Amino acid sequence: MAALEEGFTLSAVPLGAGPHGLLGVEQSDRPDQFLVTDGGRTVILYKVSDQKPLGSWSVKQGQVITCPAVCNFQTGEYIVVHDNKVLRIWSNEDVNLDKVFKATLSAEVYRIHSIQGTEPLVLFKEGAVRGLEALLAEPQQKIETVISDEEVIKWTKFFMVFRHPVLIFITEKHGNYFAYVQMFNSCTLSKYTLLPGHEEKSVIQSFTASLDRKVISLMSLSSDGCIYKSLIPIHPNDPEKNQRVVRSLLLKTVVSGNVRNGVALTVLDQDHIAVLGPPLPASKECVSIWNTKFQTLQTSKELPQGTSGQLWYYGENLFMLHGKFLTVIPYKCEVSSLAGALGKLKHSQDPGTQTVPHFVNWETSQGYGFGSQNSEQSKRILRRRKIEVSVQPPPSKQLLSTIKKDSEKRIVEELCKFLASKQTPDFHTIIGDIVLELLGRHKVEPSFYPRNALMQLIRTHVLSYSLCPGLMEVALEKTDVQMLQLCLQQFPDIPESITCACLKIFLSISDDSLQETEINMESVSDYIDSVQEEKMEEQTEILHNGFNPEEENCDNCDRELNKKPQDTAEETTSCPVIPKRAALLNAILHSAYSEMFLLPHLKDIPAQHVTLFLQYLYFLYLKCSENATMTLPGLHPPTLNQIMDWICLLLDANFTVVVMIPEAKRLLLSLYKFVKSQICICSELNKIEVSFRELQKLNQEKNNRELYSIEVLELF
């Protein structure tokens, strides 16, 4: 027998609203605590028994978490990856993720796995695997490619087999599926092709797996609504050979075959699996428990608000999104028997709790960076307390000697030769060392400013602010706006103080100086240069997304206004800054930031510059409003969210100053009218929402109508 108990909502705030939904739910170092990673910027630690969060951490604005956060059970620290390559490690005492340990990796991470008894493993998108300690000892080490071109990892799971870690991951290529099994004690990687049985070829929507001694039982839920099983040996006869395994039918039609998403499954024990999805085409989504030994449905619970097709289980709790909120449903599974499977067990007993032994010291291959717990403990403590710069191999001796004594022309020549040569695995750190060497000579000889060499090094796309922290300071000192623009476009980790210093220079530099400077104009070329030449002369009103800048009030939002069409057009279409300054300001809009750290620096900007920036942002909003998609044309233009966020930031930091400036009065009035008009639009949309709902109901009832009918719809 199996039973689903009454569930409860764990999160009080909506989750899964990001582009990747809810990334994951992972066990913490305490059995009642779980890490929940939203598909945006936030990691939350929940205590299930208290149904409340214990902590929350977020990455900066503009950064995106791309991998579920996990707990390092050996140290009690948490690990997460954002922007695919940036790894962060922190503890419960840390408040801000910007201040914790950071390592920028050389390849994109697919997933981090962590279980009791071993150190965490990092699986890269190209199929390579590294131990955490070996990876942190050399973050920029070369990561090999394991899977073939166009092969994409779909699912992965981590086991402990006889004290040794085993990783399995599933890939897909052109509708074909492959299983890779990585054994770390013997350094063997086995590949299996998953062949369909007698069923028609279908798309696999979800995977789960369990371990039975030396065999992995891989179960898959396909688009035909059936569950299939494949047996994969951990120790193959010929590891070098691409072997084949056939999928066999395990359960038939557990969910509707018409559903293309929103389904999932997970193994609960040796004889029970949990399935998420609608059992019939017209039914609502539900979570159910099946007995695989006797192929019977044990219990199910309806989820009327729908799910995201994601299912996790830990202990005796199922985790899933019900609507937009994370829900926990406790369950019970008794020892499998025929009477229990048929629901005729008279006296049910709670199953005994099984304890899994946690092995700590075990021998593994040094090639994958695993070592004993004791030998690595001091490294983890040092990393937690202090971030130390590791000694990297030096760059080319000839180039270093050239930097120390020769002219910039000679340095550029040698640099071109170095960049044209074959790149080594430590190329990232060598480039950083070259930049530091150039900046060191500039500090000793202020007249030596190797601008061309520095620009070439920035364009290698391997630098970051943390690798060469003095570079942007030198560019600020020299008022080198071209280099600052390039750094803002390339560096993902620029501090807010430096971002604000760049903004001050971009707003204060004269137009004449900008005209003589080479600036990247990609972000502005398609909307700054397009002056309103196509403007129709007979146009008497200009409305932007329902907003008229000259409207004095919006008691009647659909009333035509044509009192000052000429002034309105001029305000709407004329950019307050020249195109080159606009390109520089766009680089600021694209930069990542944390609002808490940025606001104090924004207060130091002169009021007239704040007004100019606000005018430009308002102009960008009006340009966005000219098309239905609310986007700007061109290559990498600012987004509407970026524009609105910066308007709010500037007003929050400087409103009391700006409101006293006469030049800003018209701008503030325009912003006020804009907000007021948007409120009116929302109000009008709310009025017709009920009518749209009724139309939707009528549309759903079409199947009940006869072949011919006359309908009268009255909208009030």
Side-chain angles (χ1 to χ4, degrees):
M1 282 292 292
L4 291 170
E5 300 179 4
E6 190 65 30
F8 56 88
T9 299
L10 185 60
S11 63
V13 295
L15 296 173
H20 305 291
L22 192 62
L23 287 184
V25 178
E26 295 288 337
Q27 177 79 57
S28 179
D29 56 346
R30 298 186 180 181
D32 196 31
Q33 297 179 10
F34 297 89
L35 286 169
V36 178
T37 308
D38 200 9
R41 299 169 48 206
T42 308
V43 178
I44 306 173
L45 179 65
Y46 283 103
K47 187 174 182 179
V48 172
S49 58
D50 293 344
Q51 301 180 30
K52 69 176 184 179
L54 301 179
S56 176
W57 301 270
S58 298
V59 296
K60 291 201 303 186
Q61 183 79 21
Q63 297 174 341
V64 179
I65 296 177
T66 52
C67 180
V70 298
C71 177
N72 185 344
F73 292 99
Q74 294 183 340
T75 64
E77 296 172 316
Y78 306 127
I79 313 165
V80 76
V81 174
H82 64 80
D83 301 314
N84 294 307
K85 291 185 179 182
V86 183
L87 187 143
R88 299 276 186 176
I89 300 177
W90 77 100
S91 61
N92 282 320
E93 291 74 22
D94 294 311
V95 177
N96 187 356
L97 287 184
D98 293 339
K99 306 299 181 182
V100 303
F101 175 83
K102 181 183 78 169
T104 302
L105 310 179
S106 61
E108 294 187 353
V109 176
Y110 176 78
R111 184 72 185 270
I112 300 178
H113 283 289
S114 182
I115 59 176
Q116 294 276 6
T118 180
E119 69 165 315
L121 294 180
V122 180
L123 173 63
F124 292 89
K125 289 186 178 181
E126 301 298 328
V129 185
R130 291 290 186 275
L132 180 65
E133 293 299 333
L135 189 62
L136 294 180
E138 191 179 353
Q140 291 297 326
Q141 62 183 270
K142 184 178 180 181
I143 304 299
E144 70 275 9
T145 299
V146 174
I147 60 179
S148 61
D149 294 339
E150 300 181 17
E151 217 171 331
V152 180
I153 299 178
K154 291 294 185 180
W155 175 86
T156 177
K157 191 171 178 63
F158 192 27
F159 300 99
M160 284 291 285
V161 181
F162 301 115
R163 306 187 185 185
H164 298 297
V166 175
L167 177 70
I168 178 175
F169 59 92
I170 308 298
T171 64
E172 184 268 336
K173 179 179 179 181
H174 304 315
N176 299 313
Y177 295 88
F178 308 92
Y180 292 81
V181 178
Q182 178 81 65
M183 285 287 297
F184 295 99
N185 62 328
S186 58
C187 301
T188 58
L189 176 66
S190 307
K191 181 179 179 180
Y192 300 87
T193 301
L194 303 180
L195 299 177
H198 298 291
E199 80 277 4
E200 295 182 3
K201 191 172 183 180
S202 56
V203 178
I204 300 179
Q205 297 178 312
S206 182
F207 291 94
T208 188
S210 63
L211 189 64
D212 185 10
R213 295 183 180 178
K214 297 183 179 181
V215 177
I216 297 175
S217 297
L218 178 67
M219 283 162 270
S220 56
L221 178 58
S222 297
S223 55
D224 58 1
C226 301
I227 296 177
Y228 298 90
K229 182 177 180 179
S230 304
L231 297 179
I232 301 176
I234 296 176
H235 301 285
N237 296 328
D238 188 0
E240 302 296 329
K241 184 179 179 181
N242 185 2
Q243 303 170 79
R244 300 182 177 185
V245 292
V246 179
R247 293 190 298 155
S248 59
L249 182 63
L250 180 65
L251 289 172
K252 189 174 182 180
T253 319
V254 296
V255 296
S256 171
N258 297 327
V259 179
R260 290 292 177 261
N261 49 31
V263 296
L265 81 161
T266 185
V267 175
L268 301 180
D269 59 25
Q270 185 178 358
D271 298 322
H272 296 89
I273 61 172
V275 179
L276 190 65
L280 297 173
S283 63
K284 295 181 179 179
E285 296 181 43
C286 69
V287 58
S288 56
I289 296 179
W290 289 75
N291 186 307
T292 57
K293 186 175 182 180
F294 299 106
Q295 299 188 3
T296 56
L297 174 63
Q298 298 291 279
T299 183
S300 65
K301 180 182 284 290
E302 193 175 77
L303 303 171
Q305 298 178 25
T307 70
S308 62
Q310 297 167 292
L311 183 64
W312 301 269
Y313 93 98
Y314 295 97
E316 294 186 341
N317 291 313
L318 292 172
F319 296 79
M320 70 204 71
L321 277 180
H322 186 200
K324 295 182 179 180
F325 299 93
L326 184 61
T327 300
V328 179
I329 300 180
Y331 71 92
K332 295 286 185 182
C333 288
E334 298 182 350
V335 178
S336 180
S337 65
L338 182 59
L342 297 176
K344 297 181 179 180
L345 195 63
K346 294 182 179 179
H347 302 287
S348 61
Q349 296 179 351
D350 293 336
T353 304
Q354 297 181 353
T355 60
V356 180
H358 295 160
F359 302 100
V360 176
N361 293 320
W362 42 271
E363 298 80 28
T364 54
S365 169
Q366 295 298 325
Y368 288 91
F370 298 100
S372 66
Q373 183 182 16
N374 295 333
S375 63
E376 299 295 340
Q377 187 67 27
S378 59
K379 293 182 182 179
R380 288 190 293 271
I381 294 175
L382 283 175
R383 187 181 68 246
R384 217 173 354 176
R385 300 288 185 266
K386 182 179 180 181
I387 302 170
E388 295 184 351
V389 179
S390 59
V391 179
Q392 300 291 342
S396 169
K397 293 182 179 179
Q398 184 178 357
L399 181 55
L400 275 178
S401 60
T402 303
I403 292 174
K404 291 178 180 178
K405 59 184 180 180
D406 287 348
S407 63
E408 182 185 1
K409 183 178 179 181
R410 177 64 178 164
I411 292 173
V412 172
E413 291 176 358
E414 291 297 327
L415 180 61
C416 291
K417 294 178 184 178
F418 175 77
L419 295 177
S421 62
K422 185 178 180 181
Q423 295 184 5
T424 57
D426 56 352
F427 179 73
H428 300 71
T429 52
I430 290 178
I431 294 296
D433 290 340
I434 295 173
V435 173
L436 293 177
E437 193 70 30
L438 290 169
L439 296 178
R441 182 175 170 185
H442 168 73
K443 188 175 182 180
V444 177
E445 304 175 34
S447 60
F448 174 77
Y449 180 50
R451 184 178 185 278
N452 294 330
L454 291 172
M455 293 290 285
Q456 282 195 47
L457 292 168
I458 297 172
R459 290 192 177 102
T460 58
H461 300 278
V462 299
L463 288 175
S464 62
Y465 182 87
S466 55
L467 273 178
C468 48
L471 177 58
M472 293 192 72
E473 281 81 350
V474 172
L476 287 167
E477 178 188 341
K478 298 289 184 180
T479 320
D480 193 338
V481 293
Q482 184 186 8
M483 185 179 294
L484 291 173
Q485 182 195 31
L486 193 58
C487 291
L488 286 167
Q489 293 171 344
Q490 300 288 341
F491 296 174
D493 55 349
I494 300 175
E496 286 77 2
S497 58
I498 301 297
T499 302
C500 204
C502 294
L503 177 59
K504 291 180 183 178
I505 289 182
F506 293 167
L507 290 169
S508 61
I509 190 171
S510 65
D511 290 348
D512 294 336
S513 299
L514 283 178
Q515 294 293 2
E516 300 171 358
T517 307
E518 183 181 351
I519 301 294
N520 186 341
M521 302 294 293
E522 288 180 345
S523 65
V524 299
S525 57
D526 286 351
Y527 65 88
I528 293 288
D529 295 338
S530 60
V531 191
Q532 316 299 321
E533 295 178 354
E534 315 125 1
K535 195 171 45 172
M536 294 184 298
E537 295 180 359
E538 61 270 17
Q539 184 179 4
T540 57
E541 105 178 294
I542 297 178
L543 294 176
H544 303 281
N545 193 32
F547 169 51
N548 187 335
E550 291 298 325
E551 189 173 358
E552 292 298 331
N553 60 72
C554 54
D555 295 333
N556 184 8
C557 291
D558 59 349
R559 181 168 53 91
E560 292 188 0
L561 294 176
N562 43 19
K563 294 181 180 179
K564 298 180 181 179
Q566 264 184 332
D567 294 344
T568 304
E570 181 181 354
E571 179 184 354
T572 303
T573 59
S574 61
C575 182
V577 297
I578 63 174
K580 288 191 174 182
R581 194 186 305 275
L584 296 175
L585 295 177
N586 287 353
I588 295 290
L589 297 181
H590 282 295
S591 61
Y593 64 87
S594 174
E595 183 176 338
M596 179 181 11
F597 295 104
L598 183 63
L599 279 174
H601 299 289
L602 290 178
K603 295 179 180 179
D604 297 333
I605 301 178
Q608 62 271 25
H609 293 161
V610 173
T611 304
L612 179 63
F613 196 17
L614 281 171
Q615 289 171 344
Y616 175 64
L617 292 171
Y618 183 57
F619 162 78
L620 290 181
Y621 171 76
L622 295 178
K623 297 298 291 185
C624 284
S625 305
E626 290 179 358
N627 57 72
T629 60
M630 294 295 288
T631 57
L632 293 171
L635 187 64
H636 306 303
T639 64
L640 181 62
N641 285 340
Q642 290 171 340
I643 296 168
M644 301 306 295
D645 287 344
W646 273 92
I647 290 177
C648 295
L649 284 169
L650 289 172
L651 290 178
D652 287 345
N654 300 279
F655 183 77
T656 55
V657 178
V658 174
V659 76
M660 303 299 293
I661 303 176
E663 295 83 0
K665 181 179 179 181
R666 182 170 180 177
L667 172 64
L668 293 176
L669 286 175
S670 298
L671 291 172
Y672 167 75
K673 295 172 186 175
F674 152 67
V675 174
K676 193 174 181 180
S677 67
Q678 295 301 302
I679 294 174
C680 288
I681 292 172
C682 292
S683 176
E684 294 299 320
L685 290 175
N686 288 333
K687 292 178 183 178
I688 64 174
E689 183 181 8
V690 177
S691 300
F692 280 124
R693 286 180 181 172
E694 294 299 322
L695 289 174
Q696 189 177 13
K697 290 181 182 178
L698 292 172
N699 187 46
Q700 293 174 349
E701 296 172 358
K702 272 187 177 181
N703 297 331
N704 300 329
R705 299 171 187 165
E706 300 297 333
L707 294 178
Y708 176 78
S709 64
I710 299 176
E711 301 177 24
V712 179
L713 304 179
E714 297 183 1
L715 299 178
F716 298 96

